[in-house]
Amino acid sequence: MDYKNLKYKITTGCDRGLCHKGVGRQDKQLNTYDWLADVPGNTQSTDLVEVQFKNTRKGYYHNVNNLDLKKGDIVAVEANPGHDIGVVTLTGELVKLQIKKANLKSADDIRRIYRLAKPVDMDKYEEAKSREHDTMIQSRQIAKDLGLDMKIGDVEYQGDGNKAIFYYIADERVDFRQLIKVLAETFHVRIEMKQIGARQEAGRIGGTGPCGRELCCATWMKNFISVSTNTARFQDISLNPQKLAGMCAKLKCCLNYEVDNYMEASRKLPGKDIILQTQDGDYHLIKADILAGLLTYSTDKNVTANMETITAERAHAIIEMNKQGEKPLTLQEDDKQREQNKPVDLLAGESITRFDKSKKKKKKKNKQENKQENRQDSKPENKESKNPAGKSDKSGKSDKSEKLNHSEKSEKSEKADNSENSEKSEKSERKPGRGDAPRRNKQRGNRRPADTGRNDQE
């Protein structure tokens, strides 16, 4: 091949494999992206067509009339009895792979497509669909009256209204022969009972999972695999039923997605019961990061003390040394000492009284503002004085005199306050009591002889 003269083509749109035909115009559950939609001759390779009905029910049919069907077309298909109305969701080679997934073994299960739906067919279809909710409510009451331990989760009418499918959930086997008779007499249609599990019911109803995305059982998952608690143990997930359970109250199906990777990675890790012996002491396995290959060891088996994290390769090397009777200094490589984490003082270099400075500043500001106000009040008095305002010496003297007057006034006010307080205290002491008068007389009597003696001497 001549690569030098090869002409390159810039591809756009469907040529890049991102064709809008693969998505189609449909809003049904379990949507399948047709990545072969833009391949020439894809639809002519087979006459098989995938048709979807209410919620997650799908069927596979032969396009015997060679209709030009595309994804999203509404068609009338063969049913027993009558016909049903559905939406085309897939055509071409991918339908064969979908049939293998559905485990359709007999060719009789694949019926044929009659035609594209007509307005008359759509009117019957809408009339039948409008009766589904009321039928479900009445059927639940009938099952309750018959004493059957079952829950009717959904009812689906056929497109022509001649048949109704009742989906129910039951933990044990239920004898619903009497129920079928009562339902046929009540609704005058052919009755079909289908038992589904909790996961199928969640897929039919739909919803959003705890991961924030739409449920897997409502978007792409068809075959359900049993999930056990061992899958959570392999992934080192805490066995909390509230976190492990999905919207269906069963274990989440996504627990099986990464189990194989965890099981393969866990084979490279040493056993949990192996004790690593060093000159510092014995270490027990506390925690393991399986995918990263990191192991955390502690000197105490029950309490996390002196924890050190090493790689799986280092752990295997220490195990080999212990088998030979050797003990490394530490768990770290090259016998490096583990750096001790010192406590960090968040208030280092900070003063305890750092918040008091702002208060002091506020007090100083308030004092300055008060002084300025007092000065402004004293200015009009200066203007009324006889001294001229233009001479600096006289103005300075007037300011000093004002300050002295202000200080004298403050001293006088303080003295007045002190005198008032002293008078109050004296009044409180001078209050006459019953035993005060004789004491005063005694004091006076004691003083008189001393006075007379002095006079005599004089």
Side-chain angles (χ1 to χ4, degrees):
M1 187 174 180
D2 190 5
Y3 290 99
K4 294 182 179 180
N5 298 325
L6 184 65
K7 294 181 179 180
Y8 294 96
K9 179 183 176 182
I10 299 174
T11 58
T12 58
C14 295
D15 297 335
R16 296 181 295 141
L18 302 174
C19 184
H20 65 279
K21 297 178 182 178
V23 179
R25 56 185 194 281
Q26 59 105 8
D27 56 352
K28 298 290 182 181
Q29 297 174 347
L30 298 179
N31 182 27
T32 304
Y33 182 80
D34 189 3
W35 51 276
L36 297 176
D38 57 339
V39 176
N42 179 39
T43 55
Q44 288 78 17
S45 60
T46 179
D47 63 342
L48 293 171
V49 179
E50 183 186 71
V51 180
Q52 187 168 352
F53 303 97
K54 183 182 179 181
N55 294 334
T56 57
R57 185 169 73 91
K58 286 187 177 183
Y60 300 93
Y61 299 89
H62 288 289
N63 186 9
V64 293
N65 297 324
N66 295 324
L67 300 172
D68 186 14
L69 299 177
K70 296 179 181 178
K71 195 172 185 179
D73 292 337
I74 300 174
V75 294
V77 299
E78 181 183 0
N80 186 20
H83 68 275
D84 202 353
I85 303 297
V87 180
V88 176
T89 54
L90 197 63
T91 58
E93 288 291 331
L94 291 182
V95 182
K96 296 179 180 179
L97 300 176
Q98 294 293 97
I99 290 173
K100 288 182 179 179
K101 279 187 177 182
N103 295 325
L104 295 178
K105 298 179 180 179
S106 62
D108 297 334
D109 295 335
I110 303 174
R111 297 175 181 175
R112 53 181 178 165
I113 297 174
Y114 286 146
R115 60 187 180 274
L116 290 171
K118 297 179 180 179
V120 179
D121 299 331
M122 295 304 298
D123 292 339
K124 289 183 179 179
Y125 173 77
E126 291 174 359
E127 182 183 357
K129 293 297 176 184
S130 63
R131 294 182 290 169
E132 288 179 351
H133 184 70
D134 295 337
T135 303
M136 182 182 68
I137 300 300
Q138 293 181 23
S139 62
R140 286 180 177 178
Q141 187 62 37
I142 292 169
K144 185 178 180 180
D145 295 338
L146 294 174
L148 299 176
D149 188 10
M150 60 185 295
K151 175 191 173 185
I152 298 176
D154 193 13
V155 177
E156 181 181 2
Y157 270 94
Q158 198 169 273
D160 55 0
N162 295 328
K163 180 182 174 183
I165 303 173
F166 290 82
Y167 296 92
Y168 71 95
I169 300 173
D171 296 332
E172 299 178 356
R173 188 173 180 179
V174 180
D175 185 8
F176 46 77
R177 288 176 292 181
Q178 184 64 27
L179 177 63
I180 292 174
K181 292 179 182 179
V182 176
L183 293 176
E185 292 174 358
T186 305
F187 303 111
H188 305 287
V189 292
R190 185 173 178 180
I191 306 299
E192 181 180 352
M193 304 294 293
K194 278 190 176 181
Q195 185 176 3
I196 59 175
R199 290 189 172 93
Q200 286 85 351
E201 184 188 21
R204 291 183 65 82
I205 296 172
T208 305
C211 59
R213 301 187 63 180
E214 195 175 354
L215 297 177
C216 298
C217 53
T219 52
W220 61 271
M221 185 180 289
K222 295 181 180 179
N223 301 324
F224 297 96
I225 303 172
S226 61
V227 185
S228 63
T229 55
N230 290 329
T231 57
R233 290 193 182 95
F234 286 135
Q235 300 176 58
D236 200 13
I237 301 174
S238 61
L239 300 178
N240 188 351
Q242 294 180 352
K243 293 184 179 180
L244 295 180
M247 302 297 290
C248 57
K250 303 289 183 181
L251 291 174
K252 295 177 184 176
C253 298
C254 56
L255 291 173
N256 284 335
Y257 296 169
E258 299 179 353
V259 178
D260 296 335
N261 294 333
Y262 275 90
M263 292 179 68
E264 184 178 355
S266 61
R267 293 171 186 167
K268 301 177 182 178
L269 303 179
K272 295 182 179 180
D273 299 333
I274 298 176
I275 300 173
L276 302 184
Q277 297 178 355
T278 63
Q279 295 182 11
D280 293 341
D282 296 342
Y283 286 86
H284 305 269
L285 181 63
I286 295 296
K287 184 176 64 175
D289 190 346
I290 299 174
L291 296 181
L294 298 177
L295 304 172
T296 303
Y297 286 88
S298 173
T299 54
D300 196 338
K301 187 176 182 180
N302 300 322
V303 182
T304 55
N306 301 324
M307 292 193 303
E308 293 193 14
T309 302
I310 59 175
T311 60
E313 291 79 6
R314 176 60 178 170
H316 284 295
I318 294 173
I319 291 169
E320 293 296 329
M321 293 173 67
N322 293 150
K323 289 181 179 179
Q324 297 175 4
E326 299 177 0
K327 293 183 180 181
L329 292 176
T330 60
L331 290 181
Q332 301 297 330
E333 296 181 1
D334 300 331
D335 295 334
K336 293 180 180 179
Q337 293 290 336
R338 182 172 60 89
E339 296 181 358
Q340 295 181 356
N341 295 326
K342 297 181 180 179
V344 179
D345 188 4
L346 299 176
L347 300 177
E350 295 289 341
S351 176
I352 299 174
T353 60
R354 61 188 182 279
F355 298 110
D356 298 337
K357 294 179 181 178
S358 59
K359 294 181 180 179
K360 291 180 180 179
K361 289 180 181 178
K362 288 181 180 179
K363 290 180 179 178
K364 290 180 180 179
K365 288 181 181 178
N366 293 330
K367 289 181 179 179
Q368 291 176 359
E369 290 176 357
N370 293 329
K371 288 181 180 178
Q372 290 177 359
E373 290 177 357
N374 294 328
R375 288 176 183 176
Q376 290 176 359
D377 294 338
S378 62
K379 282 180 181 179
E381 295 177 358
N382 295 331
K383 290 180 180 179
E384 293 176 358
S385 63
K386 296 179 181 181
N387 295 327
K391 295 180 180 181
S392 60
D393 298 335
K394 293 182 179 179
S395 62
K397 291 178 181 178
S398 62
D399 293 335
K400 291 179 180 178
S401 62
E402 287 176 1
K403 290 181 181 178
L404 291 170
N405 293 329
H406 182 68
S407 61
E408 289 175 358
K409 288 179 182 179
S410 60
E411 289 177 357
K412 289 179 181 179
S413 61
E414 289 178 357
K415 289 179 180 179
D417 294 335
N418 294 328
S419 62
E420 288 177 359
N421 294 327
S422 61
E423 288 176 358
K424 287 180 182 179
S425 61
E426 287 176 358
K427 286 179 181 179
S428 61
E429 292 177 355
R430 289 176 185 175
K431 286 181 181 180
R434 293 181 180 177
D436 293 338
R439 289 180 182 176
R440 290 176 183 175
N441 294 328
K442 288 179 181 180
Q443 290 176 0
R444 290 175 184 174
N446 294 330
R447 288 178 183 175
R448 284 175 184 173
D451 295 336
T452 54
R454 287 179 185 175
N455 294 326
D456 296 337
Q457 290 175 3
E458 289 177 356

